């Protein structure tokens, strides 16, 4: 067991790392961040910030020598970095789990090997594979780069063979997957913590609303069928078990109009759709990550109140100003909403800058309040 006063290493400096550090600090841990950006959200509040590339040999050595355990908040940390660090310090999650989530083709094959259904797809690694991929799916479809996609980046909607060819060229012939467009009833996600002993603990299922491929709101409790939500939790647990995962993991699911449960993707880290837990659960996903990697027992993650989490993208900032600002007043005035800002130096359209959690007696009331706040900010 790694007890408070110990030092945790964090690979990556984004908002997930920042919120993890807050939780770790509350429990009395020190955190050292390895992240190349000197002004990253997590680096700014870390006990120590090693400003270097993730694969910098000296930085890796410094990190592993100074830490009792190392974790990550960013799925694109090169797997060999995790492997190398693991030779001298415990690293959770393990390299092979993270690696599976880094490539959509590997990920989908893995989902199948767990006996679960990925979204129907065809893999495209060369131009000549396009025709076969198109054969496998029906249009409309989405072309996605196999690696480095996030927040809807590296994706293109396609409706014909020619459009698939164009998208492949636009993505500079990187490896891609061609995914069938699913007629969605709803999107849900399961966030789960698992420890070395193989015990796992799920957070309440979140219902997720996306706008333009980016998460807009998470609603908890989700308004989905109970049996499907239970199946999603079982599926997430199976995925985590098969990966021998230690830490916090998120699985995004699609529920089709025909009530099929499809696995969209796996995130080997805490997740945007789990931010509601910061204010609406006894224990947040970030504290549970600390507990999982330090071998502490899990705390209760029960939902204390219906909640709606609303993301704030850079678009909400007044980008016409030299130093863009957010009109935070509508959130601060709402007695049942909690503001979380990530201290990013620059607001940009589409960039996740913060979120707010709105609590109420029902999700309907919470969503109404959240929407009113969001519109008030937008029309400032
Ligand atoms: P992130 O990592 O931020 O979740 P991403 O860039 O990896 O996002 P996806 O999760 O693949 O993107 O897609 C983002 C959103 O776009 C989905 O949550 C969903 O709303 C929509 N979407 C993606 N693929 C499909 C599909 N095959 N059918 C229907 N909707 C889709
Ligand atoms: Mg996604």
């Amino acid at each position: 067991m790694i007890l408070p006063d110990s030092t945790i290493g964090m690979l990556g400096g984004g908002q997930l790392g920042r919120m993890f550090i807050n939780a770790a600090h509350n429990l009395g841990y020190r955190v050292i961040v390895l992240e190349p950006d000197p002004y990253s959200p997590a680096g700014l509040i870390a006990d120590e910030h090693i400003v270097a590339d993730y694969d910098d040999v000296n930085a890796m050595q410094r990190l592993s020598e100074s830490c009792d355990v190392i974790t990550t908040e960013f799925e694109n940390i090169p797997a060999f970095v995790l492997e190398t660090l693991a030779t001298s310090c415990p690293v959770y999650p393990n390299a092979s789990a993270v690696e599976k989530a880094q490539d959509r083709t590997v990920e989908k094959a893995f989902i199948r090997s767990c006996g679960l259904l990925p979204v129907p797809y065809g893999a495209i690694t060369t131009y000549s594979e396009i025709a076969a991929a198109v054969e496998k799916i029906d249009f409309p479809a989405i072309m996605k780069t196999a690696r480095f996609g996030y927040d809807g980046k590296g994706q293109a909607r396609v409706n014909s063979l020619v459009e698939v060819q164009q998208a492949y060229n636009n993505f500079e012939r990187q490896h891609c997957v061609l995914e069938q467009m699913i007629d969605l009833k709803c999107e849900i996600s399961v966030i789960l913590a698992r420890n070395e002993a193989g015990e796992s603990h799920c957070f309440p299922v979140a219902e997720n609303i996306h706008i333009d491929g980016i998460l807009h709101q998470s609603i908890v409790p989700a308004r989905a069928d109970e049996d499907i939500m239970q199946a999603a939790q079982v599926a997430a647990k199976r995925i985590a078990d098969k990966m021998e995962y230690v830490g916090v993991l998120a699985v995004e699911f699609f529920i089709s109009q025909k009530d099929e449960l499809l696995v969209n993707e796996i995130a080997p880290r805490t997740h945007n759709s789990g931010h509601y837990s910061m204010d609406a659960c006894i224990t947040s996903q970030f504290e549970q990550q600390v507990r999982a990697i330090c071998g502490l027992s899990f705390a209760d993650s029960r939902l204390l109140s219906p909640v709606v989490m609303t993301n704030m993208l850079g678009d909400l900032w007044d980008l016409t100003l030299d130093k863009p600002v957010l009109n935070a007043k509508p959130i601060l005035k709402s007695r049942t909403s909690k503001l979380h800002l990530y201290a990013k130096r620059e607001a940009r359209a589409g960039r996740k800058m913060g979120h707010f959690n709105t609590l109420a007696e029902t999700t309907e009331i919470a969503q109404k309040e959240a929407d009113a706040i969001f519109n008030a900010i937008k029309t400032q």
Side-chain angles (χ1 to χ4, degrees):
M1 212 190 285
I2 297 165
L3 289 171
D5 238 5
S6 305
T7 302
I8 303 173
M10 170 56 76
L11 295 161
Q15 64 266 21
L16 301 176
R18 183 182 174 95
M19 291 182 273
F20 172 88
I21 293 172
N22 284 330
H25 279 169
N26 285 342
L27 296 181
Y29 292 88
R30 283 167 38 82
V31 183
I32 304 179
V33 162
L34 171 56
E35 156 67 41
D37 174 2
Y39 301 104
S40 69
L44 289 174
I45 64 162
D47 295 274
E48 194 182 327
H49 179 185
I50 304 174
V51 182
D53 289 332
Y54 307 124
D55 59 357
D56 180 298
V57 175
N58 290 327
M60 280 161 62
Q61 192 180 350
R62 229 173 101 197
L63 188 71
S64 64
E65 279 171 0
S66 319
C67 293
D68 299 290
V69 59
I70 296 173
T71 188
T72 165
E73 59 105 45
F74 177 52
E75 69 246 43
N76 287 321
I77 303 290
F80 83 88
V81 170
L82 300 172
E83 257 160 33
T84 310
L85 290 169
T87 58
S88 49
C89 181
V91 177
Y92 303 123
N94 65 62
S96 91
V98 174
E99 207 169 18
K100 285 186 183 69
Q102 288 177 341
D103 186 303
R104 292 186 195 273
T105 17
V106 176
E107 183 178 48
K108 286 177 192 297
F110 172 72
I111 290 164
R112 276 211 178 121
S113 77
C114 295
L116 303 167
L117 289 176
V119 175
Y121 73 103
I124 301 175
T125 59
T126 63
Y127 199 87
S128 61
E129 284 173 358
I130 291 179
V134 167
E135 278 294 302
K136 281 194 192 164
I137 57 101
D138 297 324
F139 289 113
I142 309 188
M143 187 75 157
K144 300 183 180 180
T145 57
R147 300 182 76 92
F148 301 118
Y150 71 98
D151 290 347
K153 292 187 177 64
Q155 300 193 6
R157 309 257 156 137
V158 285
N159 275 301
S160 65
L161 172 67
V162 174
E163 284 181 16
V164 175
Q165 290 165 336
Q166 280 167 349
Y168 185 59
N169 285 333
N170 288 343
F171 291 141
E172 293 169 338
R173 301 196 171 200
Q174 293 173 66
H175 291 186
C176 287
V177 294
L178 180 65
E179 259 184 31
Q180 174 113 29
M181 181 77 99
I182 305 299
D183 195 7
L184 295 173
K185 186 184 250 183
C186 142
E187 291 189 56
I188 58 171
S189 56
V190 174
I191 292 164
L192 167 152
R194 188 175 180 279
N195 64 17
E196 264 228 288
E199 294 155 354
S200 55
H201 195 101
C202 277
F203 280 87
V205 175
E207 172 186 344
N208 301 319
I209 298 176
H210 289 79
I211 299 179
D212 295 332
I214 306 180
L215 183 65
H216 171 56
Q217 280 180 331
S218 293
I219 300 169
V220 191
R223 296 163 299 184
D225 182 89
E226 277 301 330
D227 291 344
I228 295 187
M229 292 202 278
Q230 206 159 22
Q233 291 190 324
V234 170
K237 187 175 176 319
R238 196 182 302 167
I239 287 171
D241 285 344
K242 194 129 190 246
M243 287 177 155
E244 296 182 17
Y245 197 91
V246 176
V248 170
L249 169 109
V251 184
E252 299 175 12
F253 296 90
F254 293 153
I255 302 175
S256 73
Q257 289 292 350
K258 288 185 234 147
D259 277 335
E260 270 175 314
L261 180 69
L262 304 168
V263 180
N264 172 26
E265 56 178 353
I266 303 167
R269 51 170 170 77
T270 51
H271 196 260
N272 194 169
S273 68
H275 292 353
Y276 75 85
S277 63
M278 298 173 80
D279 298 304
C281 293
I282 295 179
T283 308
S284 75
Q285 61 169 342
F286 301 102
E287 177 172 336
Q288 212 74 308
Q289 184 182 6
V290 176
R291 287 171 174 270
I293 63 166
C294 291
L296 312 182
S297 57
F298 288 129
D300 195 337
S301 57
R302 213 171 344 141
L303 193 69
L304 298 174
S305 163
V307 58
V308 172
M309 187 278 324
T310 306
N311 265 342
M312 291 189 288
L313 305 181
D315 311 58
L316 285 183
W317 270 239
D318 187 348
L319 298 174
T320 58
L321 302 174
D322 266 354
K323 196 163 181 334
V325 286
L326 169 77
N327 169 21
K329 276 190 204 144
I331 307 167
L332 297 170
K333 273 200 309 213
S334 158
R335 290 155 50 97
T336 51
S337 294
K338 308 298 283 184
L339 173 65
H340 300 267
L341 287 175
Y342 310 147
K344 292 191 181 173
R345 290 237 298 181
E346 206 189 326
R348 284 197 299 266
R351 188 176 204 201
K352 287 175 180 165
M353 301 295 292
H355 68 270
F356 59 94
N357 288 326
T358 307
L359 282 67
E361 264 159 52
T362 67
T363 51
E364 287 71 29
I365 301 172
Q367 194 177 25
K368 233 177 169 181
E369 168 86 353
D371 288 347
I373 294 170
F374 190 81
N375 289 329
I377 300 172
K378 220 162 67 174
T379 54
Q380 61 187 316

